[in-house]
Amino acid sequence: MRIVIAGGHGQIALRLERLLSHAGHEVAGIIRSPEQGADLREAGAEPVVLDLESASVEMVAAVLQGADAAVFAAGAGPGSGADRKDTVDRAAAVLFADAAERARVRRYIVVSSMGADASHPGDGIFDTYLRAKGAADDEIRSRTALDWTVLRPGSLTDDAGTGMVRLEARTGRGPIPRDDVAAVLAELLDTPATAGLTLELVAGSVPVPVAVKDVAGN
């Protein structure tokens, strides 16, 4: 498959790029800065420099042309303000979905967040983030032209992945290594029957391939 990842220099995205390229897939990662390109090439991905906060639908669709799947893994980051939570975590996800539709790329996977909810209360930055992610998820889940899957990991850690997870519609809160998030994303890309699902992910006791197979088609 050819897979295009938005937020290609993110910690989860780089892990996913390595997994996909090692599996023989063709991977492109969208990045904002040319300086990030070397890290993507090291991970086996083709770097594409494009700012999703200013790009047009046509520009993003051109990158997606001929792709088999799109993964939205971009984020404004923990140091960003409320404005960028909206322009990246919400608007860029919707733009990427618009571009996928324009390029006729049906498979669309979103890396969201546990607790994402467009109606989430509170005035803090993290509250704003959860509202932005929730609004993006709602918009994408309304698209009939996309075979979407929304993945909502728990608290991300840099611990070594175990390959053992809990993946369900509702898991409850918990930690999850970024390694295992990437492994689940790779498995989701290989499992089209997970389209139409919103899934929460935390560390658990089920091997990643089994966990994905268990939810497929539900």
Side-chain angles (χ1 to χ4, degrees):
M1 290 191 293
R2 175 172 170 81
I3 300 149
V4 178
I5 302 173
H9 196 255
Q11 295 185 66
I12 291 172
L14 286 168
R15 289 166 165 84
L16 178 59
E17 287 154 6
R18 290 188 188 95
L19 291 175
L20 295 174
S21 62
H22 288 163
H25 298 298
E26 181 184 346
V27 189
I30 296 175
I31 54 177
R32 294 184 63 187
S33 169
E35 288 76 21
Q36 298 170 337
D39 292 335
L40 269 73
R41 284 187 286 270
E42 184 181 346
E46 167 201 350
V48 178
V49 180
L50 187 65
D51 185 350
L52 293 176
E53 290 180 89
S54 60
S56 66
V57 174
E58 291 77 15
M59 292 166 67
V60 184
V63 177
L64 284 162
Q65 201 67 45
D68 299 290
V71 178
F72 186 82
S80 59
D83 289 349
R84 294 201 66 229
K85 301 302 183 193
D86 184 69
T87 57
V88 179
D89 293 294
R90 184 198 62 80
V94 174
L95 171 70
F96 201 52
D98 290 340
E101 289 186 351
R102 183 76 59 94
R104 292 183 170 82
V105 180
R106 289 199 62 93
R107 190 69 172 118
Y108 190 97
I109 297 180
V110 183
V111 182
S112 184
S113 174
M114 191 169 293
D117 183 348
S119 301
H120 180 83
D123 300 321
I125 288 294
F126 192 67
D127 300 318
T128 302
Y129 167 76
L130 291 177
R131 282 194 294 273
K133 295 297 283 186
D137 292 352
D138 289 346
E139 171 67 26
I140 288 154
R141 292 185 296 188
S142 73
R143 306 293 182 99
T144 58
L146 296 176
D147 295 328
W148 53 263
T149 303
V150 175
L151 183 66
R152 292 177 166 175
S155 302
L156 299 171
T157 76
D158 288 325
D159 297 338
T162 66
M164 308 294 282
V165 301
R166 183 179 177 192
L167 179 69
E168 299 170 12
R170 293 285 185 271
T171 62
R173 296 190 177 275
I176 181 73
R178 289 179 172 87
D179 287 348
D180 289 331
V181 177
V184 168
L185 289 168
E187 198 71 29
L188 290 172
L189 285 165
D190 275 339
T191 313
T194 55
L197 299 179
T198 300
L199 300 167
E200 293 184 351
L201 174 66
V202 294
S205 58
V206 181
V208 167
V210 176
V212 172
K213 182 180 179 182
D214 284 349
V215 298
N218 292 338

Short mmCIF file of all heavy atoms in Angstrom, two decimals, residues 161-195:
data_model
loop_
_atom_site.label_atom_id
_atom_site.label_comp_id
_atom_site.label_asym_id
_atom_site.label_seq_id
_atom_site.Cartn_x
_atom_site.Cartn_y
_atom_site.Cartn_z
N GLY A 161 7.33 -0.83 23.90
CA GLY A 161 6.07 -1.51 23.64
C GLY A 161 6.12 -2.97 24.06
O GLY A 161 7.17 -3.62 24.00
N THR A 162 4.97 -3.48 24.47
CA THR A 162 4.87 -4.88 24.87
C THR A 162 4.14 -5.72 23.83
O THR A 162 4.19 -6.94 23.86
CB THR A 162 4.11 -5.02 26.20
OG1 THR A 162 2.74 -4.62 26.01
CG2 THR A 162 4.75 -4.15 27.28
N GLY A 163 3.43 -5.03 22.91
CA GLY A 163 2.61 -5.76 21.95
C GLY A 163 1.33 -6.29 22.54
O GLY A 163 0.59 -7.01 21.87
N MET A 164 1.05 -5.93 23.79
CA MET A 164 -0.15 -6.40 24.48
C MET A 164 -1.02 -5.19 24.84
O MET A 164 -0.55 -4.26 25.51
CB MET A 164 0.23 -7.16 25.75
CG MET A 164 1.24 -8.28 25.52
SD MET A 164 0.60 -9.63 24.50
CE MET A 164 -0.40 -10.47 25.73
N VAL A 165 -2.27 -5.20 24.40
CA VAL A 165 -3.12 -4.02 24.52
C VAL A 165 -4.54 -4.40 24.92
O VAL A 165 -4.92 -5.58 24.91
CB VAL A 165 -3.17 -3.24 23.20
CG1 VAL A 165 -1.78 -2.79 22.76
CG2 VAL A 165 -3.83 -4.07 22.09
N ARG A 166 -5.29 -3.39 25.23
CA ARG A 166 -6.74 -3.49 25.35
C ARG A 166 -7.34 -2.50 24.37
O ARG A 166 -7.09 -1.29 24.47
CB ARG A 166 -7.19 -3.18 26.78
CG ARG A 166 -8.70 -3.34 26.98
CD ARG A 166 -9.12 -3.05 28.40
NE ARG A 166 -10.56 -3.14 28.55
CZ ARG A 166 -11.25 -2.71 29.61
NH1 ARG A 166 -10.60 -2.16 30.63
NH2 ARG A 166 -12.55 -2.82 29.66
N LEU A 167 -8.10 -2.99 23.42
CA LEU A 167 -8.66 -2.18 22.33
C LEU A 167 -10.15 -2.46 22.26
O LEU A 167 -10.57 -3.54 21.86
CB LEU A 167 -7.98 -2.55 21.01
CG LEU A 167 -8.45 -1.82 19.75
CD1 LEU A 167 -8.02 -0.35 19.78
CD2 LEU A 167 -7.90 -2.51 18.50
N GLU A 168 -10.94 -1.47 22.67
CA GLU A 168 -12.39 -1.65 22.73
C GLU A 168 -13.06 -0.30 22.50
O GLU A 168 -12.41 0.74 22.50
CB GLU A 168 -12.81 -2.20 24.11
CG GLU A 168 -12.22 -3.55 24.46
CD GLU A 168 -12.48 -3.94 25.91
OE1 GLU A 168 -13.30 -3.26 26.58
OE2 GLU A 168 -11.84 -4.91 26.39
N ALA A 169 -14.38 -0.33 22.33
CA ALA A 169 -15.13 0.92 22.20
C ALA A 169 -14.97 1.76 23.46
O ALA A 169 -14.89 2.99 23.39
CB ALA A 169 -16.60 0.62 21.93
N ARG A 170 -14.92 1.10 24.63
CA ARG A 170 -14.69 1.80 25.89
C ARG A 170 -13.73 0.96 26.72
O ARG A 170 -14.04 -0.18 27.04
CB ARG A 170 -16.00 1.99 26.66
CG ARG A 170 -16.98 2.94 26.00
CD ARG A 170 -16.54 4.39 26.18
NE ARG A 170 -17.54 5.31 25.65
CZ ARG A 170 -17.58 5.74 24.40
NH1 ARG A 170 -16.67 5.30 23.55
NH2 ARG A 170 -18.50 6.59 24.01
N THR A 171 -12.60 1.52 27.07
CA THR A 171 -11.62 0.78 27.87
C THR A 171 -11.49 1.33 29.27
O THR A 171 -11.03 0.64 30.17
CB THR A 171 -10.23 0.83 27.22
OG1 THR A 171 -9.79 2.20 27.17
CG2 THR A 171 -10.24 0.23 25.83
N GLY A 172 -11.84 2.58 29.48
CA GLY A 172 -11.45 3.27 30.70
C GLY A 172 -10.04 3.80 30.54
O GLY A 172 -9.30 3.39 29.64
N ARG A 173 -9.67 4.72 31.39
CA ARG A 173 -8.38 5.40 31.25
C ARG A 173 -7.23 4.49 31.63
O ARG A 173 -7.37 3.56 32.42
CB ARG A 173 -8.35 6.67 32.08
CG ARG A 173 -9.38 7.69 31.61
CD ARG A 173 -9.19 9.04 32.26
NE ARG A 173 -10.15 10.00 31.72
CZ ARG A 173 -9.95 10.70 30.60
NH1 ARG A 173 -8.83 10.54 29.92
NH2 ARG A 173 -10.86 11.54 30.17
N GLY A 174 -6.05 4.79 31.06
CA GLY A 174 -4.86 4.02 31.35
C GLY A 174 -3.74 4.45 30.42
O GLY A 174 -3.95 5.18 29.46
N PRO A 175 -2.51 4.00 30.71
CA PRO A 175 -1.37 4.36 29.87
C PRO A 175 -1.26 3.44 28.66
O PRO A 175 -1.84 2.34 28.64
CB PRO A 175 -0.18 4.17 30.81
CG PRO A 175 -0.63 3.04 31.71
CD PRO A 175 -2.12 3.23 31.90
N ILE A 176 -0.50 3.88 27.68
CA ILE A 176 -0.21 3.05 26.51
C ILE A 176 1.11 3.54 25.89
O ILE A 176 1.26 4.73 25.63
CB ILE A 176 -1.36 3.11 25.45
CG1 ILE A 176 -1.05 2.22 24.25
CG2 ILE A 176 -1.67 4.53 25.05
CD1 ILE A 176 -1.18 0.76 24.50
N PRO A 177 2.08 2.66 25.69
CA PRO A 177 3.33 3.08 25.04
C PRO A 177 3.07 3.50 23.59
O PRO A 177 2.25 2.90 22.89
CB PRO A 177 4.21 1.81 25.09
CG PRO A 177 3.64 0.99 26.21
CD PRO A 177 2.16 1.25 26.17
N ARG A 178 3.80 4.53 23.16
CA ARG A 178 3.66 4.97 21.77
C ARG A 178 4.01 3.84 20.79
O ARG A 178 3.44 3.76 19.70
CB ARG A 178 4.56 6.19 21.52
CG ARG A 178 4.06 7.45 22.21
CD ARG A 178 5.00 8.64 21.96
NE ARG A 178 4.44 9.88 22.46
CZ ARG A 178 4.57 10.34 23.70
NH1 ARG A 178 5.25 9.61 24.60
NH2 ARG A 178 4.03 11.50 24.06
N ASP A 179 4.95 2.98 21.17
CA ASP A 179 5.28 1.83 20.32
C ASP A 179 4.03 1.01 20.01
O ASP A 179 3.82 0.57 18.87
CB ASP A 179 6.29 0.91 21.02
CG ASP A 179 7.70 1.48 21.08
OD1 ASP A 179 7.97 2.49 20.40
OD2 ASP A 179 8.52 0.90 21.82
N ASP A 180 3.22 0.78 21.03
CA ASP A 180 2.03 -0.05 20.84
C ASP A 180 0.93 0.68 20.08
O ASP A 180 0.15 0.05 19.35
CB ASP A 180 1.52 -0.55 22.20
CG ASP A 180 2.46 -1.58 22.81
OD1 ASP A 180 3.13 -2.30 22.05
OD2 ASP A 180 2.52 -1.67 24.05
N VAL A 181 0.86 2.00 20.23
CA VAL A 181 -0.09 2.77 19.42
C VAL A 181 0.26 2.60 17.94
O VAL A 181 -0.61 2.35 17.10
CB VAL A 181 -0.10 4.25 19.81
CG1 VAL A 181 -1.04 5.04 18.91
CG2 VAL A 181 -0.49 4.43 21.28
N ALA A 182 1.54 2.74 17.62
CA ALA A 182 1.97 2.59 16.23
C ALA A 182 1.68 1.19 15.72
O ALA A 182 1.23 1.01 14.57
CB ALA A 182 3.47 2.90 16.10
N ALA A 183 1.90 0.19 16.55
CA ALA A 183 1.63 -1.19 16.14
C ALA A 183 0.15 -1.41 15.85
O ALA A 183 -0.22 -2.09 14.88
CB ALA A 183 2.11 -2.16 17.21
N VAL A 184 -0.70 -0.81 16.67
CA VAL A 184 -2.15 -0.92 16.45
C VAL A 184 -2.54 -0.20 15.16
O VAL A 184 -3.35 -0.71 14.37
CB VAL A 184 -2.92 -0.38 17.66
CG1 VAL A 184 -4.42 -0.22 17.33
CG2 VAL A 184 -2.76 -1.31 18.85
N LEU A 185 -1.99 0.97 14.93
CA LEU A 185 -2.29 1.70 13.68
C LEU A 185 -1.90 0.87 12.46
O LEU A 185 -2.67 0.80 11.48
CB LEU A 185 -1.55 3.04 13.67
CG LEU A 185 -2.06 4.10 14.64
CD1 LEU A 185 -1.08 5.25 14.73
CD2 LEU A 185 -3.43 4.61 14.19
N ALA A 186 -0.74 0.25 12.49
CA ALA A 186 -0.30 -0.58 11.36
C ALA A 186 -1.27 -1.73 11.15
O ALA A 186 -1.61 -2.07 10.00
CB ALA A 186 1.11 -1.09 11.61
N GLU A 187 -1.73 -2.31 12.23
CA GLU A 187 -2.67 -3.44 12.13
C GLU A 187 -4.03 -2.97 11.62
O GLU A 187 -4.69 -3.66 10.82
CB GLU A 187 -2.81 -4.13 13.49
CG GLU A 187 -3.40 -5.52 13.43
CD GLU A 187 -2.45 -6.54 12.83
OE1 GLU A 187 -1.22 -6.38 12.94
OE2 GLU A 187 -2.97 -7.51 12.24
N LEU A 188 -4.47 -1.79 12.05
CA LEU A 188 -5.73 -1.23 11.56
C LEU A 188 -5.68 -0.99 10.06
O LEU A 188 -6.67 -1.22 9.34
CB LEU A 188 -6.05 0.07 12.29
CG LEU A 188 -6.44 -0.03 13.76
CD1 LEU A 188 -6.53 1.36 14.38
CD2 LEU A 188 -7.76 -0.77 13.94
N LEU A 189 -4.53 -0.52 9.57
CA LEU A 189 -4.39 -0.29 8.13
C LEU A 189 -4.52 -1.59 7.34
O LEU A 189 -4.99 -1.58 6.20
CB LEU A 189 -3.04 0.37 7.84
CG LEU A 189 -2.96 1.85 8.21
CD1 LEU A 189 -1.51 2.31 8.25
CD2 LEU A 189 -3.76 2.69 7.22
N ASP A 190 -4.12 -2.69 7.95
CA ASP A 190 -4.23 -3.99 7.30
C ASP A 190 -5.58 -4.66 7.53
O ASP A 190 -5.80 -5.79 7.08
CB ASP A 190 -3.13 -4.93 7.82
CG ASP A 190 -1.82 -4.76 7.06
OD1 ASP A 190 -1.87 -4.26 5.92
OD2 ASP A 190 -0.77 -5.13 7.61
N THR A 191 -6.48 -3.98 8.25
CA THR A 191 -7.76 -4.59 8.62
C THR A 191 -8.90 -3.65 8.25
O THR A 191 -9.43 -2.90 9.08
CB THR A 191 -7.79 -4.89 10.14
OG1 THR A 191 -6.57 -5.53 10.52
CG2 THR A 191 -8.96 -5.79 10.51
N PRO A 192 -9.32 -3.64 6.98
CA PRO A 192 -10.36 -2.71 6.54
C PRO A 192 -11.69 -2.90 7.25
O PRO A 192 -12.52 -1.97 7.28
CB PRO A 192 -10.48 -2.97 5.04
CG PRO A 192 -9.82 -4.29 4.80
CD PRO A 192 -8.78 -4.45 5.86
N ALA A 193 -11.92 -4.06 7.85
CA ALA A 193 -13.18 -4.30 8.55
C ALA A 193 -13.30 -3.50 9.84
O ALA A 193 -14.32 -3.57 10.53
CB ALA A 193 -13.36 -5.79 8.85
N THR A 194 -12.27 -2.73 10.19
CA THR A 194 -12.37 -1.84 11.36
C THR A 194 -12.91 -0.47 10.97
O THR A 194 -13.03 0.41 11.83
CB THR A 194 -11.00 -1.66 12.05
OG1 THR A 194 -10.04 -1.20 11.09
CG2 THR A 194 -10.52 -2.99 12.64
N ALA A 195 -13.27 -0.27 9.71
CA ALA A 195 -13.86 1.00 9.29
C ALA A 195 -15.18 1.22 10.01
O ALA A 195 -15.95 0.29 10.25
CB ALA A 195 -14.07 1.00 7.78
#
